[in-house]
Amino acid sequence: MVFKVVSVAPSTFQLLLVAWILILVSWSYSEKYDFKKQDIYSGAILPHSTFTSVKRTYNRRLSDALQSLKKGRDQPLNINKYFNIKLPKVVQMSLNPSPTEILNKLCDDLLSNDVIAVLYLTNSDFFGSNAASVQYFLQLSGYLGLPVIAWNADNFGVEQQVSGSLILQLAPSVKHQSAAMLSIMKRYFWHHFSILTTIIGGHDDFIRAVRNQVLDSTDFTYNIMDVFVIKTKTRKKIAEEIEFLKYSEVRVILLYSTKEEGAEIMGAANDLGITGKNYVWIVTQSVFGTAENNAPTEFPIGMLGVHFNTTKARLQDEIERAFNVFGYGLELFVNDPRNENKSLSPGLKCNGISTDHWSKGDMFFRYLRNVSIPSSNGGPNLEFNPDGTLKYVELEVMNLKSQGYWEKIGAWTAGSLEIKDIVWPGDSPVPPKGVPEKFNLKITFMEEPPYVNLVTPDNETGECKTDRAVPCRVAPESELAGVNLTLAMRNPKYYMCCSGFCVDLLHKFAVDLGFTYDLYRVEDGIWGVLNNGTWNGLVAEILEGRADVVVTSFKINSERQTVLDFTVPFLETGITIIVAKHTGIISPKAFLEPFDTLSWLLILLVSIQVAAFAIFLFEWLSPFGYDMKMSPPRDHKFSLFRTYWLVWAILFGASVNLDCPRGYTARFMSNIWAMFAVVFLAIYTANLAAFMITREEFYDLSGIEDKRLHYPFQLDPPFRFGTVPLANTWTVMKDRKPGIFNYMKRYNRSSPIEGIKAVKTGELDAFIYDATVLEYLAGQDNECRLLTVGAWCSMTGYGFAFPKKSKYLNMFNKYMIQYRENGDLDRLQRFWLQGICKPTKNKRNASNPLDTNQFMSAFLLLGCGVILTLVLLGLEHVYFKYIRQHLAKKDTGSCFALVSLSMGKSLSFRGAVYEAQDMLKRHRCTDPICDTQLWKARHELDMARLKLKQLQKELFLRTSSVDPLEPRDFTRNHSSTNESQTPPSRLYYRPMRKEIAEYETVI
C-alpha cells in the first residue's frame, strides 16, 4: 500500500482563531500574575497642621513620589513586577505628643495597615521640645522591628542613641555639624577651644561627636580646654556659671543650644566681656532656628555657624526623598535572588494575638541602608553610613552681619570647606588668633634644690650653660640702678641661671599659656611668715604688688591661704627628719643572730635532747648494745653522757675522739643526726656571714613625736637638732610643738644645706625640714651617709601662689590638672627628685687590718666557753667531795653507769677493777724495772681476783647479806668498811679488814 502526502494551506479563519487563543492565554497569564502581587504599605508621620491645604500638599508629594517609582522616571525598576506599592498612610502628630497619643497613632493608623516602614519627618524650630516623645516613638519602632526613615530638624542626635532602633537619618547629624565646625577652626589655625551647651536633647551626642573627631584628627591638633553644660535659664545665673571663661585662655567657643537659650547666653557673655574682637563663637543649627529670621540682638557681630535648610518647602522635598529611599530599598530586596518567594508582611498588631517583633525588619533595614540614589542636580548619590547617617552632606557656613542677620558665606562638604567675605568680631580686618594675648608676669622665688637651683652663667656671654636654665635676678632692684643691663647679665652678683623642677614647670606653663616672665629672687631671702602681724618674704612680695606669682617649693598652709590663692598642689610633701649614719661595731651576739630565739630553743632544747635520748635508747634496746641491762657490757664504752658528746661533736663537726654505739639502729640514728647537722651548719654558716659585718649606726627616730626630741636632756650628751628659721617647718613647730621649738633655736641653720653639713660633721644629731628636700639631699650625698627617718607629719603640698582672685589662677589650675593627668608632673619628678647616692670612695680599704671590735663576738664566745668549763670543773669537785658518798650508798644496780661510765666506775668496786685491768692491758713499759713491777702488780691482781671470787662464793653460800661488791666509801683514808656485819656464828670464814684493805690498795 502506498500513502500520498497532500499539502493543504491554512485558511484565514484558522489563523485568526490561533491568534485569538494566544491572546486569551496571554491575558489569562497576565491576570494570574497580577493577582499574585503583594500589597506593600508604609506610613508617614508628618507635622500636625490645621490647614487642609497642608494635608493636601503632603498627600500630593507622596503621590508624586509613588508615581515616579511606578513609572520608573529615573531608571527602570523591577519592584512593580512583584509588589503593588500603596500610598503611605499619613499620620499627623502634634509637636509634643503624649505617650498615649503616640501609642494610639502607632496601633490604629500604622500597625493596622501592616506597614513595613515609617517615614518620620519634622521641621520644628523648637529644638529639644519633643525629645522625650521622639525617643519614646523610636524605642517602640525599634522594639517592633520597624525601620524608620527620618528627617528631623531638631533632636538629630537623640535618635542615634536609641538602642536597637533601625533609623536612617536624612538630616545632617551632629557628627556632620561638629566636623564642619572643626574644619572652620582648622582653616584659621585655632587649636584651643571650649564646648558650651545647655541641657537640650542631643547635647551629649554633640559633645561626644566633637571629642571623637578631635581624637581621630591626625593632621591637625585640637585641644578641648573646657566642656561645660549650662543648667540655668536666667542671664544672671548663666553669667555666674560661665564666669570661668573670663579668666580662661580660651578664645574659641562652640555653642550648642536653642535660639532662645543662645540669646540669654550671649547676653551674659556680653556682660562678662567675652564677645569682643578676640573671641570667636561658632554655633550649631539649633541656635539658628530658621535662617530667614534675624538673629537676636544679644548675638555679637561676627558669629559663625553651620546651618541647613529647615523650611516647609525643604520638608516637602524631603518627603519625596524619604519615599524614594523606601522604594529603592524594595528594589534591592527584589533584585536579591535569595529573597525569591519571600513575603514582606510584618503582621504586627496591638491586640496581643500576633507577633510583637518583625523578624525580617533588620534584614529589610540593611537593604534600605545600602541604597544609592542618583542626584537630580548632578551631585553625589544619596548614600548612608553604617550608623544610618548620610554619607554626603552639604552644610551652609553662616556669618552674622552688622545688620543683625545671618548671611551664607560658604559651604562645607565632607573633605572641603569654601568661605569668603567674613565679617570678623569687632569688625576686625583679620581673623582672631584664637589664643590669649601675650602677657608678662613678674615671678619671685627662693632657691632650694632641686626645685630652684642657682648656677653661675657664662662669664663672657652671660648665657646659661645648660638648656634647662633661665636667667634670674638675684640682686635687689635698687642695686641695678645705673648699671648696664648687658654687663649685669654677665655678673653673678646681679644675675644667675635658675634651673630645677619648678623652673621646668614654669617654662611649660609659659609655652602653653603664651606669656613671658621676669624671674627674680626675693630680696629679704625669707620664705614668708606672719611676724608681729606683718607678712615678710615671698608673701609680702605678692601682697605689696611687686610680684604676680611665687614659683618655688612654696608650701601650702592655712595661714598663707588666708592672704594668697594657691594652685592645685603639684607635689605632696610633709616634715621629716634626717640623720647621719656612723660606722659601728659588730654585735657581740652576732654568732647567735642567724637564728631567732625560737629556732635556737628548738635546736638546743628539743632537737639535741631528742637525738641524744633516741640514740642511747636504741643502743640500750639493741642486743648488740646494752641488751636492756642496767650495766654496760665489758669493753663497751658508751653511756648517755657519751651520747651527748657524740651528738654535739657531729653537730659542729668537731675533730675529737668519739665512742660509737654498737647497735645498728643507734648507728642509723646517728647518721640521721649527721644529715641534720650538715643542713644546720650550711644554713648557719651561710647566714653568719651576713651578721659578721660592720654595722652602721644611726638615730632611728620614729618621727616628730619621738621622745628624744621631746626630752633631749635625757641623753648624755643632750640630743641636738634644728631647722631653718622663718620657714614652714619653723612655723609648724612654733604653733604645734612649742617645747621643741624653743629648745632647737640654738641649733637652727640658715638653709637645709647648712643643716646637712652640721649633721654630717656631728655638730647636730638630726635636722628637721621638708621631706622631699631632705630625701633629695640624702640621695645626692656622695658618701651615702644621710638617711631620712620616721614618719612624715604635717602633710601638705607645694603650689604656685597668686594674689587673691587673680585672673591667672584658673588658667594655671587648668593646666596643672592636665599635667598631672598626662604624666608631665611624674616625668619632672623622676628627672629632678629621684636619685641614688654614688659614693666617690670606698668606705673601707680592703688592705686595712681588722681591729678586735670587728670580731668581738668570737672572743665573747670563747670567754663564755671558759667560764662554762670552770663551772663544770667546780661541779666535778663538788661531786667527788660531797655527792659521791651519798650516791654510793644507793647504787645497787649500777644505774649511774647508764648515765656516765666514769660516774658508774667511781661508785662501783667492780668497775674500778675493770678499769684497772684495762689500764694494765694498754700499759707498755720502757725499762726492766717497770716490767718487774708490772708483773708483780699483775700477779697480785690475779691473786686478788681469785681471792675475790672465793670470798663471793663463800658469802653466797652462807647467804650473807653482805655483798663484797657493794659500793664502798672511797673518800675515807683508812681501812674501815661500811659493810654490814654478820654474826660470827653464821660464818665459817670472815675476811679481816686489813686483808680487804690490801686488796683495795692493790687495785
Side-chain angles (χ1 to χ4, degrees), residues 115-119 141 144-149 165-168 358 360-366 368:
V115 298
I116 65 173
V118 178
L119 312 182
S141 63
L144 295 171
L146 284 178
V148 177
I149 305 172
S165 296
L166 308 176
I167 305 169
L168 295 179
W358 186 26
K360 297 180 182 179
D362 293 339
M363 176 194 66
F364 183 55
F365 174 76
R366 289 194 294 271
L368 294 174

Side-chain angles (χ1 to χ4, degrees), residues 599-783:
S599 299
W600 280 117
L601 291 177
L602 289 175
I603 294 172
L604 299 177
L605 301 183
V606 178
S607 302
I608 293 177
Q609 314 304 324
V610 170
F613 276 98
I615 293 173
F616 182 73
L617 178 63
F618 292 147
E619 180 68 10
W620 185 76
L621 296 174
S622 175
F624 295 98
Y626 276 79
D627 197 15
M628 293 185 291
K629 295 179 179 179
M630 299 306 295
S631 59
R634 187 175 179 79
D635 299 332
H636 184 32
K637 299 178 180 179
F638 203 74
S639 64
L640 180 60
F641 280 6
R642 299 200 178 198
T643 305
Y644 273 106
W645 180 255
L646 172 68
V647 168
W648 279 97
I650 293 176
L651 180 63
F652 293 104
S655 300
V656 295
N657 186 28
L658 298 174
D659 293 315
C660 298
R662 291 181 178 180
Y664 291 109
T665 54
R667 292 185 177 185
F668 178 77
M669 185 62 198
S670 300
N671 292 332
I672 296 298
W673 176 252
M675 294 177 62
F676 171 84
V678 170
V679 177
F680 167 79
L681 283 178
I683 298 174
Y684 180 76
T685 55
N687 288 275
L688 183 62
F691 294 93
M692 299 295 289
I693 58 176
T694 303
R695 298 299 180 91
E696 291 182 334
E697 297 178 346
F698 59 90
Y699 293 104
D700 190 11
L701 303 174
S702 61
I704 298 299
E705 302 298 332
D706 194 281
K707 65 179 182 179
R708 283 167 286 191
L709 301 181
H710 289 267
Y711 309 102
F713 291 105
Q714 291 184 355
L715 300 181
D716 188 19
F719 197 72
R720 301 160 299 172
F721 57 92
T723 187
V724 176
L726 302 178
N728 179 76
T729 305
W730 183 85
T731 304
V732 172
M733 291 298 180
K734 180 181 178 182
D735 296 339
R736 303 181 185 179
K737 306 292 180 183
I740 296 178
F741 174 80
N742 293 327
Y743 171 79
M744 68 180 183
K745 286 181 178 179
R746 71 196 78 172
Y747 301 115
N748 286 340
R749 294 296 185 269
S750 60
S751 68
I753 302 295
E754 295 299 324
I756 293 297
K757 292 180 180 179
V759 170
K760 293 183 66 175
T761 57
E763 298 177 14
L764 294 180
D765 297 315
F767 189 74
I768 307 173
Y769 198 63
D770 290 358
T772 57
V773 176
L774 293 184
E775 288 193 346
Y776 168 78
L777 295 176
Q780 299 297 316
D781 181 35
N782 291 332
E783 299 177 355

Side-chain angles (χ1 to χ4, degrees), residues 211-260:
R211 282 178 169 168
N212 291 339
Q213 292 175 20
V214 166
L215 293 175
D216 294 339
S217 177
T218 57
D219 56 346
F220 190 79
T221 302
Y222 298 97
N223 186 9
I224 302 177
M225 305 301 295
D226 296 288
V227 177
F228 195 81
V229 180
I230 300 175
K231 299 180 175 60
T232 55
K233 298 294 184 181
T234 63
R235 182 175 301 185
K236 183 178 180 182
K237 294 292 185 180
I238 293 175
E240 294 176 358
E241 289 194 63
I242 65 173
E243 187 178 5
F244 72 95
L245 290 174
K246 179 179 180 181
Y247 305 106
S248 172
E249 72 276 16
V250 172
R251 296 297 181 265
V252 180
I253 301 107
L254 307 186
L255 177 62
Y256 176 85
S257 67
T258 64
K259 186 176 182 179
E260 291 73 18

